[in-house]
Structure formats: C-alpha cells, structure tokens
Amino acid sequence: SGLVGLKTTRGRVSTAPNIGESIAGLGGEFAVTRSVRDAAALLDAVEGPELGEPYEIARPRRPYSEEILEAPRPLKIACASKAWIDVPTDPDVVAAFERTRDLLVDLGHEVSEDLPDFEVETFEGIVTTIWEAGLAMLVRSISGLTGRLPGPDTLETLTLSYYEAGKKLP
C-alpha cells in the first residue's frame, strides 16, 4: 500500500492520562506514515512515559531516526503464509508474503515458515474476556463523562453485548 504501520511495544508510546490502560495493555496509539523514516521521526517525538502511565520500559539508546540508518543485524524470523484458523488465504496476500519473505532472506535474515502451537479456542476465550472487560470500563468512563447511559439507543448491538458481558466479570 506504500504505507508504514507500527504496533509499538506496551509502554513505548503512552496512552496516559486519558486512556492509561488500553485493552489490558494490548492496545496502543500511533499513526500510519508514508515511510519508515517518518515513522521513526514520529516515534522519536512521542515515545516515553507520561503522568499516569501504567507501564514503563527502558528508553531507547539513541533516537529511532538515527537507528534506522544502521544496517540491521541478522534476525531469526518465523512467519506463516496461512492463517492459524481454518480460513483460506487470498492468493494476492500469499504472493505479497512470499515477496516479503524473499526480501528478508536477501537482506541476510534467517526466515522459516512456522505457525505457533496453541489452542485457538482458549486464546479466543481469553481475548474475548479481555475485550469485554476493557470495553465495559471504557463505556462506564464515557458514560460518566457524557451523562448518557449505555443502552440500545447509545451503543451498537455487538458493543452493547460485549459491554453487558463485561459488567458481569469480577
């Protein structure tokens, strides 16, 4: 697509004080940029803890805009061209995957195709519980700020069902 997306490590870009805890630390805030250079410059501008940050990690040794100028050290990368759930993968996605894999190998990285070994149903249950709890906290917070009660007139059906399930969690 010609765009660069980045999911930062928990605690790298603060969501405090307004959010603080986003989906049990699984969520985050950043931006889509037009280049790795732009992503590095933005990360330099916004990384670091803020007042109320629930997570804190070591600060980078040097600015990311300098880090990207260095040749990367060879990495061991595991990746997969198929989904870990039983759904077909679009041929265009597989072709893009293969081009990316080949580029990584050409850059000197050790790349193997492998899927993680875990129980999908257990994982989905855990993620659903985290999502329900986080959504219930967020809806309560927004409701308190706006004075609008959560219900079918203020929330979409799926959001309302997650909210109702989240309210029942201990």
Side-chain angles (χ1 to χ4, degrees), residues 36-38 40-41 44 62-73:
V36 172
R37 183 188 66 224
D38 290 349
D44 285 337
R62 60 182 172 175
Y64 293 101
S65 53
E66 291 177 16
E67 192 71 40
I68 64 169
L69 301 176
E70 298 293 320
R73 64 178 171 31

Side-chain angles (χ1 to χ4, degrees), residues 87-103:
V87 296
T89 304
D90 185 278
D92 289 341
V93 172
V94 173
F97 165 84
E98 290 170 349
R99 286 191 305 273
T100 303
R101 179 200 59 213
D102 294 346
L103 174 61

Side-chain angles (χ1 to χ4, degrees), residues 104-118:
L104 291 168
V105 170
D106 290 345
L107 290 170
H109 301 293
E110 181 183 329
V111 181
S112 62
E113 189 153 352
D114 196 12
L115 283 172
D117 184 23
F118 65 98

Side-chain angles (χ1 to χ4, degrees), residues 2-102:
L3 298 174
V4 175
L6 178 67
K7 166 60 172 89
T8 59
T9 299
R10 178 182 8 213
R12 178 63 61 212
V13 176
S14 180
T15 56
N18 295 337
I19 298 173
E21 179 75 40
S22 179
I23 316 172
L26 299 176
E29 299 282 329
F30 200 59
V32 176
T33 61
R34 293 184 181 207
S35 69
V36 172
R37 183 188 66 224
D38 290 349
L42 178 59
L43 192 53
D44 285 337
V46 300
E47 78 86 21
E50 297 291 337
L51 184 63
E53 175 65 41
Y55 308 102
E56 188 171 341
I57 61 175
R59 304 294 298 271
R61 294 178 301 130
R62 60 182 172 175
Y64 293 101
S65 53
E66 291 177 16
E67 192 71 40
I68 64 169
L69 301 176
E70 298 293 320
R73 64 178 171 31
L75 301 172
K76 291 176 73 173
I77 301 169
C79 53
S81 61
K82 63 180 191 171
W84 44 266
I85 57 176
D86 191 24
V87 296
T89 304
D90 185 278
D92 289 341
V93 172
V94 173
F97 165 84
E98 290 170 349
R99 286 191 305 273
T100 303
R101 179 200 59 213
D102 294 346

